[in-house]
Amino acid sequence: GTSADNKYKIMNLAELEVFDENDKKISHQRPVTMSSQLGGYSGANLTDGSFNNLAHTKTGDQRELDWMMVDLGSEHKIKALLITNRTDCCKERAIGIRAIVLDADKKTVKSTPAIVIVEDSYEFVFDESKGWSRPGGNET
């Protein structure tokens, strides 16, 4: 981010839902760690199933990116991700966010394209032959 208050590096999302190869939601109430936390907007809000609260990082060092990490407890074959944006304001802060799937050693397995448009939610579906796509052909 280049703004004076660094607002584009802050992450504030309502929910992250992760689905395995059997379409089972495997992220519900899983632990979340974040690079930083603003007030009472804890990482637990990211996977609690409520779309009325949010997880929120606070402005950090401009040389570092904010991040949120969900621990799924074990390795899973990830089929889809649904990122739900904050509902009340500041939806543009989702621009630039990408989801990175890590293995047990925290090495990158796959990464979604970066979000480039403002929407209420972003669904990503993974296909072994095609990689990540957005249903309906929407731009990321």
Side-chain angles (χ1 to χ4, degrees):
T2 57
S3 64
D5 68 355
N6 200 22
K7 68 181 177 181
Y8 295 107
K9 294 182 88 174
I10 295 169
M11 295 177 69
N12 52 359
L13 301 171
E15 196 74 13
L16 171 66
E17 297 168 278
V18 181
F19 299 89
D20 70 9
E21 62 190 325
N22 300 310
D23 295 320
K24 178 183 176 189
K25 187 189 316 184
I26 55 175
S27 55
H28 186 67
Q29 296 186 335
R30 296 300 309 165
V32 178
T33 53
M34 302 190 308
S35 57
S36 60
Q37 178 184 318
L38 179 66
Y41 302 105
S42 78
N45 294 345
L46 189 64
T47 60
D48 66 357
S50 172
F51 298 91
N52 298 319
N53 60 26
L54 57 122
H56 196 312
T57 62
K58 63 181 177 180
T59 304
D61 186 322
Q62 290 192 2
R63 295 167 293 174
E64 296 181 25
L65 296 175
D66 283 4
W67 53 266
M68 297 178 183
M69 183 171 25
V70 178
D71 183 350
L72 298 175
S74 61
E75 289 192 14
H76 297 271
K77 187 171 182 177
I78 306 298
K79 179 180 176 183
L81 303 169
L82 181 59
I83 299 169
T84 302
N85 212 344
R86 179 179 180 163
T87 58
D88 59 346
C89 77
C90 314
K91 291 182 181 190
E92 72 281 355
R93 291 179 179 166
I95 302 294
I97 289 175
R98 74 176 66 239
I100 300 171
V101 178
L102 306 173
D103 64 15
D105 296 322
K106 296 187 179 172
K107 292 183 182 173
T108 300
V109 174
K110 49 192 162 193
S111 175
T112 67
I115 293 170
V116 297
I117 59 175
V118 175
E119 292 187 21
D120 292 335
S121 63
Y122 306 89
E123 181 179 15
F124 295 94
V125 176
F126 187 76
D127 179 287
E128 291 292 339
S129 63
K130 299 176 188 175
W132 291 103
S133 65
R134 300 259 338 260
N138 293 335
E139 187 178 356
T140 316

